Amino acid sequence: MERELAHERPIGTSGMPVARYDLKFGRGGLVDVEFATQWLQMMHGRDPRVRTTETEVALSALETCGYIEPALADALREGWRFLRRLEQRLRIAHGTSATLLEEGAPGLVSLARGVGARDGPRGRPDLALLDRYLAVTGDIRAAYLRVLSMPP
């Protein structure tokens, strides 16, 4: 159900599946970071130090107050920064509020270079970007599940 909602499914017209990822609603996306952060804020809302609408500030406050483990806070915070930067680059490239990252899409190589991706183990910057995206969203999703005390 999550993949359907996030539009993360193979697509393609030539019969070959193409990976498509949603930076905002996909597994380990921006919404996972926001939800985990807000969940912790609700759980510890009696503490005025955690009451803020800024995700990064909230994560830092939650960590400082001991309401989230530093490793989980780091995964959520660093993932948030990476995805927001990527989302902003996508908006500039497309001139829209698009949040979809699609393997093989025109402009993916220049987008990858724009966020600092270079040739990786698979040889191309676009594939290095997708590899990094999958690693970051995997870390976010693992942290999200731990915060919500859900099985992996």
Side-chain angles (χ1 to χ4, degrees), residues 2 16 31 36 38-39 61-62 76 78 84 96 105 121 125 150-151:
E2 286 178 341
M16 297 297 295
V31 169
Q38 292 168 7
W39 171 262
L62 289 160
L76 293 171
E78 293 306 315
R84 290 289 294 157
T96 68
M150 296 174 64

Side-chain angles (χ1 to χ4, degrees), residues 5-69:
L5 289 172
H7 309 291
E8 293 187 329
R9 60 184 176 269
I11 61 169
T13 56
S14 65
M16 297 297 295
V18 176
R20 183 164 80 177
Y21 306 101
D22 191 318
L23 279 66
K24 190 166 186 162
F25 297 105
R27 292 177 59 80
L30 291 165
V31 169
D32 280 5
V33 177
E34 292 167 357
F35 187 85
T37 304
Q38 292 168 7
W39 171 262
L40 288 168
Q41 287 178 294
M42 288 188 300
M43 296 294 292
H44 306 288
R46 289 187 179 149
D47 187 336
R49 297 174 293 176
V50 302
R51 295 182 200 158
T52 178
T53 57
E54 297 178 48
T55 301
E56 283 190 81
V57 173
L59 283 168
S60 294
L62 289 160
E63 180 183 7
T64 299
C65 296
Y67 299 129
I68 185 173
E69 297 171 28

